[in-house]
Amino acid sequence: MTQTRDEQDAREAIVFHARSLYERGYGVGTSGNLSHKLNDGYLVTPTNSCLGRLKPETLAKVDLQGKHLSGEKPSKETFLHLAMYGQRPDEMAIVHLHSTYSVAVSCLENVNSEDVLPPITAYYVMKIGRLPLVDYFPPGDLSLAQAVASKAQQHHAMLLSNHGPVVGGKSLEQAVY
């Protein structure tokens, strides 16, 4: 299967940004996943892969419906990415992490589910705005996709209860930042 220059660039960008997130402690072990939209599908980090040790050629490619086309088996959370893309057609990339402090916040009781974090800085407000909390669903529960899609209609970033953040962006760099 021949790759376009755009696909090659997207593969390299995923590897670069995933390693950066890993090295800064935002992804530990084999947690977290990134994706990038292509004209004919999506690139997704493989399931059970370490963000600090990805290789461009092993990234999974799925079609627009999520069917695995090439590379290693895609993340078991690919359905979260597809739910976001379905509601946010201008987004080109999605980052989903299980970063320690974000997960800790996502486990707190009595938070405002419409806006989990207070307006910490002006920069946070400009980049994120309001951060909604998505209800908890067990790992692999496809109902989570519907909950994510519902929030994605109004938000490019959200926090999954007892799980971690999902952030979309018009570029991979924007989603990471």
Side-chain angles (χ1 to χ4, degrees):
M1 181 177 272
T2 305
Q3 295 177 9
T4 65
R5 183 72 229 162
D6 287 343
E7 181 174 336
Q8 292 171 356
D9 290 347
R11 287 175 179 277
E12 291 170 14
I14 288 174
V15 170
F16 174 81
H17 286 292
R19 184 177 300 121
S20 172
L21 290 165
Y22 179 81
E23 288 173 351
R24 291 182 287 151
Y26 294 123
V28 298
T30 60
S31 69
N33 37 78
L34 286 71
S35 67
H36 195 290
K37 186 189 297 186
L38 303 169
N39 290 332
D40 60 346
Y42 307 95
L43 294 175
V44 184
T45 53
T47 195
N48 292 320
S49 61
C50 174
L51 295 182
R53 295 184 178 89
L54 296 173
K55 295 178 182 169
E57 64 275 9
T58 62
L59 296 177
K61 184 174 182 180
V62 299
D63 68 14
L64 296 172
Q65 291 72 43
K67 180 183 173 207
H68 185 211
L69 299 174
S70 64
E72 293 183 6
K73 183 178 178 184
S75 167
K76 58 186 161 280
E77 294 182 321
T78 298
F79 68 92
L80 295 177
H81 297 253
L82 296 177
M84 284 282 284
Y85 288 122
Q87 295 300 316
R88 305 190 65 79
D90 292 340
E91 307 283 273
M92 292 300 294
I94 294 171
V95 174
H96 169 51
L97 301 172
H98 303 162
S99 50
T100 304
Y101 297 114
S102 295
V103 172
V105 169
S106 79
C107 294
L108 294 174
E109 293 183 23
N110 303 318
V111 296
N112 177 356
S113 63
E114 296 303 313
D115 195 11
V116 179
L117 294 175
I120 301 166
T121 65
Y123 184 75
Y124 171 81
V125 173
M126 289 175 358
K127 294 291 183 182
I128 300 297
R130 299 173 64 82
L131 183 68
L133 184 68
V134 176
D135 290 337
Y136 173 76
F137 292 89
D141 187 334
L142 297 180
S143 298
L144 179 57
Q146 184 177 4
V148 166
S150 175
K151 298 287 186 193
Q153 292 174 9
Q154 300 295 318
H155 303 278
H156 76 278
M158 61 196 72
L159 188 59
L160 308 180
S161 291
N162 301 54
H163 196 148
V166 178
V167 181
K170 294 191 185 320
S171 68
L172 182 57
E173 187 173 83
Q174 185 184 46
V176 167
Y177 292 167

